[in-house]
Structures are given as structure tokens and as C-alpha cells.
Amino acid sequence: MMASGFLASGQTSKGAITQEILNEIRTGYKGTPSDKAIKNALNTTSMSVLAANSENAAMIDTHFSDMVTTKGRTDQKSSGRCWLFTGLNVLRAKAIQEKNMGEFTFSQNYLFFYDQLEKANLFLQGVIDTKDLGFDDRKVDWLFSNPLSDGGQFTGVSNLVMKYGLVPSETMPETYCSENTSAMRVQLSTKLREYGLRLREAKAKDCQNLKKEMLKEIYRILVLCLGEPPVEFEWSFYNAKDELVSTKKYTPASFRDEFVGKDLNKGYVMLMNDPTREYGKVYEIDFDRHVYEGGNWLYVNLPIERIKEIAIASIKDDTAMYFSCDVGKFADRKRGVLDLANYDYESLLGTSFGMDKKERVMTHASGSSHAMTLIAVDIKDGVPVKWMVENSWGASAGYKGNYIMTDEWFDEYMFRLVAEEKYVPADVLNMLKQKPELLPAWDPMFMPEE
């Protein structure tokens, strides 16, 4: 048996930590009274608690010069459905304004059901499309590594709403599995991987029929977990004064047409601030979609100041936007404040953290991890000083269900925004005429849901 510390056959000592190097490394810890005090504290207390900046403990000013009209707050619970809640919250805010509604929500569970069914089909068809490639091919490996998720983005919302319609929350309410998606996702992913292997082994002529039978089983499991989506329902519409306006029978499509009333696959522009790539260019993420025949995530990459101009124009016109960021960085979840001054890890650890936004994205230290609804900006002397988003972690999370971010935090950790075309300048719209550069599905910009 090889003794501990010995090098395996074929390895060399070059680049290894030798005893001599280890002796030098050990001098990095001096054992000063300050080091000992911090070491004792870190042995018993959370690093984020110790790094909390007491000089920034006061609650940030909650006044905003411009705010979108919205009512109520939603809660995605233990799920990665922020993209779905955010997209539907954008549509909900507009419906409440235009229809003079009280608190109201579209059923997230209804659309989530079809999201999971469509993603199952996306994976299975992806396996069929790549069955002639080796199992060690990067795309094949990526497919089997990511057969199903509950994460997503705005094109998923637009494609699913236009294909399957919408229903109110009362018609298809949340279930335990919709609010706690992990166990269902694991079992469905295991089943899909099994099906994927069968499809790779099958004759090409048999694959579509096989896939249809597989999707029947996936549909059955989804019904057990989430309930069966309605094809027709009756619903009573009450206005903001709680007065009955109408009671009608709807289909999901007719309900969408009445309370959204436009083609969501048109009229929206996806914007990104990705400093690792050239600005003024259009990019597309391969396989970053929810529906097989739908569109991949396609965006215009812009400097942060251009994105702010568009966001301000939308907010001033009382229109909420789909927004995503790296929410976990410098987040004070109790106060609901995102501020670079919230935590001082440099003073606590006696070191510096010198990467800029571009370097953090390149090294997987930062990326888009959570979607929220951008609803407010505070402008002083013509300059934005802070922003507010409606979150989907419940009304008691953060500041009344919202998160407030400083403009400096926005610069460093904001990544994606979806705006209506009418708020986007002509020169940016002209950029969309470019042929997009196709990026791989494993692009480093996107991180697991927080």
C-alpha cells in the first residue's frame, strides 16, 4: 500500500507543496493578538455576522422618486422558479393597472406544470438530435448533466404563456411539490436520464414514438405532484373596491387574451451587461430555452449606463421589468438592502479582494443567479442613487417583500433586464438586426438559483 504523502506513478514533485515550501507557507500566520482574536471569533460565529459593517447598520432611505404601481407580494418558497414569478409579476402589475384590480396573481403552478413537461421534451429531443455524437461529446455530457431544472428566464415565460395561456391562482393553486421542487426534480431527472439512454440505443425511426410514450409517463408524474392543468374554468372578477365585475367561463387562452392581451413573443428586448464580451453586439445562448420550438435567450450586450437609461424610462412610465442579478453578494436579507458597504470582509480577514466585474464573471465568482421585478428608482440631481425590486420570497422577506439596492451595487452585480421595445432607443433596436453570436449552453454568466 502506498504510504500517505507519496506521489502516484507518473507524477513529479514540480508544483507540489514540499516540506520546505510548507515551512515557508506556515509563516503566513503570525499569531498576533489581532489574528488570535479573529481566529477565536471565527471558530464560533458566522463570517457574515463578524463582517457586518456597523457603520452601515442604519436602514437605507426608503423614499423613491419614481415607482411602478403594484399590489401584493408572492413567494416561490423552496423552489428555483424566480424567473417564473418575476415574469408573471411583470404581467400582473400591468393587469392590475389596466383592469383596476385588487391584489391578484396568475397561477405559477399552472405554467410550471407545462414548463416541466416542455423541458422534459427539450431534453429527450436533444438526446435524439445528438444520438450520433459520442457520449463524451461536450453537448451530450451537458444534456445528461442538466436533464431538467426549475430555473429559467424570460423567454420561457413568453413562450409558455403564448402556447398554454394563463389561469388565476385560485384555479390551479400551489402544491407541496410546486413549493418544494427538489425531490420531484431529482426523480424526474433520474427518469429522464434513463429514457435518454434508451433513446440513444433505439433505432432512429422509433425515437419519436418512444419519446411520446415517455412523455405520457412524465405527464402522469407531474399530475401526481402538481395537479392537472384545467382546460376550462369559471372565475369571478372583482375590482379594486372588491365589487363584482363579472363571472365568466374561460379557457387558459381566453383568460390570457383578456388579462394580458398581447403577443409576449414580440415587443420585448433582452438586455445584458456582460463586461467579458463586446458591447453593442447580439448574443444567443444555445439550448437556453424552455420550449423545443421556442427561442433561445437572445440579448443585446450594453454598458451599464445605457441599461439604466432604459430602466428609468420604463419606471417613469409605470411599467415594471424583468431583472436579474447576483443577489447573494453583499446582501443584508433582514433589512432587504443590497449595498457594497454592508460587509467588510477585507478588514475581518486582513486581505483585499481586487477582481472587477469582468474578472468575477470570467472566473465564475459572479453571475446572474436570481430574477426579480424592477419597480422603482430614486433620482437625485438627474442621477440614480438607488433602485428597488419586488422579490418573490414572501411579503415578510427583506423590506416589505422588496429589496433596495444602491446604484453602486447595481453597477457591480446587475446583469439582465427585459424592457418593452418602446423604451429602447433606436440605435439599440438596430443592433438586433445583427446575426447573433452563438454561445454554448454552459456559458459562465449563469449561476445556480440563490
Side-chain angles (χ1 to χ4, degrees):
M1 177 179 291
M2 183 182 292
S4 175
F6 279 67
L7 293 167
S9 175
Q11 293 179 340
T12 69
S13 62
K14 184 178 180 181
I17 296 179
T18 64
Q19 186 63 52
E20 182 181 2
I21 291 174
L22 180 59
N23 290 338
E24 290 187 47
I25 290 173
R26 282 174 172 156
T27 65
Y29 175 70
K30 303 296 185 184
T32 63
S34 176
D35 276 353
K36 288 180 179 179
I38 294 171
K39 179 172 172 283
N40 290 339
L42 285 169
N43 270 240
T44 58
T45 309
S46 163
M47 185 179 292
S48 62
V49 170
L50 294 173
N53 184 3
S54 62
E55 296 177 359
N56 200 53
M59 183 58 186
I60 196 169
D61 177 24
T62 59
H63 167 76
F64 284 84
S65 61
D66 300 275
M67 184 178 297
V68 174
T69 305
T70 185
K71 298 176 184 178
R73 293 296 178 263
T74 54
D75 192 349
Q76 68 189 77
K77 300 291 179 69
S78 296
S79 74
R81 299 175 296 160
C82 64
W83 61 276
L84 177 56
F85 277 69
T86 299
L88 291 181
N89 285 343
V90 170
L91 301 181
R92 174 174 65 94
K94 185 63 71 174
I96 287 172
Q97 294 170 28
E98 294 180 351
K99 300 291 185 179
N100 188 31
M101 304 173 81
E103 290 193 15
F104 164 81
T105 54
F106 293 108
S107 170
Q108 297 91 4
N109 189 29
Y110 171 79
L111 224 57
F112 181 54
F113 182 102
Y114 285 115
D115 169 68
Q116 296 294 278
L117 183 65
E118 286 284 355
K119 283 177 180 169
N121 179 66
L122 182 64
F123 167 75
L124 295 174
Q125 189 59 47
V127 170
I128 294 171
D129 293 344
T130 59
K131 71 192 307 293
D132 293 332
L133 299 176
F135 209 78
D136 59 351
D137 179 86
R138 181 69 188 270
K139 188 166 187 177
V140 173
D141 179 72
W142 182 86
L143 281 168
F144 278 89
S145 298
N146 301 274
L148 186 78
S149 78
D150 54 1
Q153 33 83 356
F154 183 79
T155 55
V157 177
S158 58
N159 289 170
L160 290 166
V161 169
M162 298 316 298
K163 186 169 184 177
Y164 293 104
L166 290 164
V167 305
S169 291
E170 305 93 309
T171 301
M172 189 169 176
E174 296 285 295
T175 70
Y176 182 86
C177 286
S178 71
E179 294 180 337
N180 301 271
T181 55
S182 177
M184 182 184 76
R185 183 179 68 249
V186 168
Q187 298 308 313
L188 286 174
S189 294
T190 300
K191 193 67 182 172
L192 287 170
R193 289 181 172 115
E194 174 191 332
Y195 283 161
L197 288 176
R198 285 178 55 191
L199 287 170
R200 283 182 63 85
E201 295 165 356
K203 294 179 181 178
K205 65 181 180 65
D206 298 328
C207 283
Q208 291 303 322
N209 284 332
L210 265 177
K211 187 186 76 167
K212 191 190 306 179
E213 293 303 311
M214 293 169 178
L215 288 174
K216 286 182 182 179
E217 185 68 2
I218 297 299
Y219 185 92
R220 188 183 70 84
I221 294 171
L222 287 172
V223 171
L224 296 177
C225 293
L226 305 176
E228 189 161 19
V231 295
E232 189 177 72
F233 60 94
E234 185 174 273
W235 187 71
S236 295
F237 170 29
Y238 290 85
N239 64 20
K241 295 181 179 180
D242 203 29
E243 299 167 334
L244 179 64
V245 176
S246 64
T247 298
K248 295 183 189 177
K249 283 190 176 180
Y250 293 94
T251 65
S254 68
F255 191 79
R256 174 203 62 212
D257 292 346
E258 181 170 333
F259 290 94
V260 174
K262 59 182 177 182
D263 185 350
L264 300 181
N265 291 325
K266 300 176 182 177
Y268 286 90
V269 179
M270 325 303 171
L271 309 169
M272 180 79 77
N273 177 243
D274 178 1
T276 70
R277 295 194 168 92
E278 185 179 354
Y279 292 134
K281 299 293 184 182
V282 180
Y283 299 90
E284 178 181 356
I285 310 290
D286 190 23
F287 230 76
D288 189 6
R289 61 188 188 273
H290 295 238
V291 178
Y292 183 77
E293 72 277 16
N296 286 325
W297 177 266
L298 185 145
Y299 64 87
V300 181
N301 197 29
L302 293 177
I304 197 75
E305 296 305 323
R306 297 300 310 274
I307 292 178
K308 289 180 184 179
E309 293 170 8
I310 295 166
I312 290 169
S314 184
I315 292 170
K316 282 184 172 292
D317 198 36
D318 210 19
T319 300
M321 288 156 287
Y322 183 104
F323 166 99
S324 72
C325 61
D326 192 355
V327 73
K329 301 298 191 295
F330 297 95
D332 183 333
R333 297 197 178 197
K334 184 176 181 180
R335 291 187 300 151
V337 176
L338 302 167
D339 186 344
L340 301 180
N342 278 344
Y343 301 97
D344 186 1
Y345 292 103
E346 292 188 343
S347 294
L348 175 67
L349 298 175
T351 191
S352 62
F353 296 94
M355 288 194 292
D356 61 19
K357 188 174 187 178
K358 177 180 179 179
E359 292 166 332
R360 288 193 298 270
V361 173
M362 288 172 60
T363 59
H364 300 270
S366 185
S368 181
S369 66
H370 184 58
M372 297 181 281
T373 310
L374 188 60
I375 60 170
V377 63
D378 190 28
I379 299 174
K380 293 181 179 178
D381 299 323
V383 177
V385 295
K386 63 180 182 293
W387 307 76
M388 187 160 70
V389 287
E390 175 186 326
N391 203 359
S392 54
W393 292 345
S396 61
Y399 172 67
K400 300 180 180 180
N402 304 314
Y403 268 64
I404 298 172
M405 67 194 81
T406 64
D407 191 61
E408 292 79 13
W409 190 97
F410 189 104
D411 288 343
E412 297 297 324
Y413 295 107
M414 174 275 167
F415 289 106
R416 294 192 283 185
L417 187 78
V418 180
E420 293 187 27
E421 273 186 359
K422 62 184 176 179
Y423 306 116
V424 180
D427 67 312
V428 177
L429 294 176
N430 283 333
M431 294 174 190
L432 290 168
K433 297 175 182 178
Q434 303 171 23
K435 181 179 179 180
E437 179 181 336
L438 187 65
L439 303 175
W442 45 92
D443 185 79
M445 171 59 73
F446 306 99
M447 302 179 71
E449 160 82 4
E450 286 278 346

